[in-house]
Amino acid sequence: MDFSFGAEDVGFREEARCWLAEHWGEGAGGAVDWAVRRSWERELGRGGWVGIGWGRAYGGFGNRAVTLAQQVVWAGEYAAAGAPERVGHIGENLLAPTLIAYGDAAQRDRFLPSVARGEELWCQGYSEPGAGSDLAAVRTVAVRDGGVYRITGQKIWTSLAREADWIFVLARTDPGERRRRGLSFLLVPMDQPGRIEVRPIRQLTGTAEFNEVFFDGAVARAEHVVGGPGDGWRVATGLLALERGVSTLAQQVAFGRELDEVIGEAVRNGAVDDPVLRDRLVRQWAELRVMRWNALRTLGPAAGDTGAPSVAKLLWAGWHQRLGELAMHVRGAGAASGPGDWSADAPYELDAAQRRFLFSRADTIYGGSDEIQRGIIAGRVLGLDGGRKR
């Protein structure tokens, strides 16, 4: 695909840049201020910047079609502006395209407008204890009871579950089936006291973006089964292919900002004079460029490549983890010092680089571990099964 931008794209970029400059500013960047973050989602919705890639029929930006190139422009400008990580991205980039591809008209009419307005937040109920990235090992059960399903089980590593209004859940609706068969994709409201419990998982950073979610008879209405009963595997795996798309390019813009910070620190403290460290900085820069070219390739001629999402995940997860380590090496002994005084009586504080280093330890695990991604590549691309040709 040709990603050279024409006059229309340049105008779109200027519109995006001006809007962000006007609306993204003072008091909006609280890392854990959820009221502010939700308010920002609604502001994006009022500006028409949510769901710009859905197409005209589903409330796309300005009620007009937005090209793939313009989606790339918006994602890049958003990241370049230093705007916060989206709390509505699961609804916008995962659930909505899934409903467009597999849902019915009633489901789209019910859920897409609220996502586009930034009013309802979603989380993803896939991983389970003892199963990890093995999606087919789901043990959460949903039993049909008249016009609803009653759900019992547990999900883990559920991002933003404490703030979400809804969760899409992969559950076993036919207990007589195993592995990929008998699964259904359910849309479940989170506000069910006594039936849904969310427990935060405290991380190295001291924060708890990940959560455990327990279902004890939680209710999902029967019309909120996407694709129909028993079709959950097709819907769930179709959704996973959406996780690495235009958003990957925006992620890389943010990565570029982080790399610039590390390079700036190395120049200021003289660490750049170390030839080994300088070589590592150059390697990080070169690998980031390769990731961008690969992402553009998968949006163009290689669209539909079954191994592309796994390759992209392997590339960025390892790269980001190495960047966190490199930032600590650049700082040297000072990397152990926090922005404030640490004591046994008060929780320690982390600066941005320290937080990034600690959080990046999870990059190669969440969203499908490196081992799972290599297994997918072996099976879908190389045609291998257990190390042997099928």
Side-chain angles (χ1 to χ4, degrees):
M1 180 175 181
D2 181 11
F3 273 95
S4 56
F5 299 115
E8 181 183 354
D9 301 316
V10 172
F12 183 87
R13 167 172 281 153
E14 188 60 29
E15 180 182 354
R17 189 172 296 169
C18 290
W19 191 92
L20 284 164
E22 179 181 353
H23 291 85
W24 173 247
E26 183 178 356
V32 293
D33 189 335
W34 289 104
V36 170
R37 297 288 286 276
R38 292 195 70 133
S39 176
W40 175 239
E41 289 296 320
R42 292 191 293 271
E43 186 64 51
L44 287 168
R46 284 191 290 271
W49 294 102
V50 179
I52 64 173
W54 298 353
R56 186 174 297 158
Y58 304 106
F61 163 68
N63 206 25
R64 57 185 169 90
V66 173
T67 67
L68 181 58
Q70 289 173 332
Q71 293 175 51
V72 172
V73 166
W74 165 250
E77 290 302 320
Y78 187 90
E85 183 178 350
R86 294 282 308 284
V87 295
H89 70 94
I90 294 176
E92 178 185 6
N93 299 322
L94 297 184
L95 175 78
T98 300
L99 292 182
I100 291 170
Y102 303 102
D104 58 35
Q107 291 166 349
R108 291 192 289 267
D109 290 344
R110 163 60 185 87
F111 294 108
L112 294 188
S114 60
V115 172
R117 293 191 297 265
E119 292 175 352
E120 289 184 337
L121 301 185
W122 286 78
C123 60
Q124 178 178 9
Y126 274 16
S127 296
E128 296 188 3
S133 297
D134 185 4
L135 191 58
V138 165
R139 291 180 292 181
T140 294
V141 173
V143 178
R144 182 72 181 260
D145 180 10
V148 302
Y149 283 89
R150 299 194 179 278
I151 306 167
T152 303
Q154 178 185 357
K155 298 294 181 177
I156 197 168
W157 310 123
T158 308
S159 299
L160 308 180
R162 289 185 298 169
E163 304 301 323
D165 304 294
W166 288 79
I167 181 172
F168 49 86
V169 177
L170 189 63
R172 195 163 297 282
T173 50
D174 187 342
E177 296 285 1
R178 293 177 57 81
R179 300 296 294 173
R180 302 179 182 185
R181 297 180 181 275
L183 299 172
S184 296
F185 190 99
L186 310 174
L187 309 181
V188 184
M190 290 291 287
D191 187 14
Q192 299 191 47
R195 292 177 174 173
I196 296 181
E197 179 186 0
V198 179
R199 299 179 189 172
I201 300 174
R202 193 67 56 189
Q203 297 144 214
L204 287 172
T205 56
T207 58
E209 289 88 351
F210 301 131
N211 304 267
E212 294 178 281
V213 182
F214 296 85
F215 301 95
D216 185 7
V219 172
R221 287 163 56 183
E223 62 265 33
H224 292 165
V225 181
V226 181
D231 201 25
W233 181 259
R234 181 175 71 99
V235 177
T237 54
L239 179 145
L240 289 174
L242 300 168
E243 285 192 295
R244 341 272 190 224
V246 171
S247 59
T248 301
L249 290 164
Q251 178 191 58
Q252 291 164 12
V253 174
F255 284 172
R257 288 167 57 92
E258 293 175 4
L259 177 58
D260 287 343
E261 292 173 7
V262 175
I263 293 172
E265 176 72 17
V267 171
R268 286 190 297 272
N269 69 12
V272 74
D273 296 331
D274 180 342
V276 175
L277 193 145
R278 188 165 62 245
D279 179 72
R280 290 176 63 185
L281 290 169
V282 171
R283 183 177 294 274
Q284 289 286 140
W285 177 87
E287 290 175 350
L288 184 58
R289 299 300 299 174
V290 170
M291 284 196 291
R292 176 173 175 78
W293 293 328
N294 180 65
L296 291 173
R297 179 186 68 86
T298 61
L299 291 176
D305 181 349
T306 57
S310 293
V311 170
K313 176 59 166 60
L314 281 173
L315 287 174
W316 76 252
W319 184 92
H320 199 228
Q321 203 169 80
R322 291 191 297 275
L323 180 68
E325 295 167 354
L326 183 55
M328 298 299 99
H329 282 290
V330 163
R331 191 176 295 184
S337 300
D341 294 332
W342 293 356
S343 72
D345 300 324
Y348 62 85
E349 295 181 28
L350 301 170
D351 61 30
Q354 292 168 329
R355 191 177 304 112
R356 187 179 306 135
F357 165 67
L358 292 174
F359 192 87
S360 69
R361 309 316 299 168
D363 285 347
T364 53
I365 301 173
Y366 69 78
S369 68
D370 279 9
E371 291 77 11
I372 291 293
Q373 304 306 332
R374 291 189 178 100
I376 292 172
I377 294 168
R380 296 183 183 176
V381 180
L382 303 179
L384 304 176
D385 183 10
R388 298 184 301 276
K389 201 75 173 176
R390 289 181 188 172

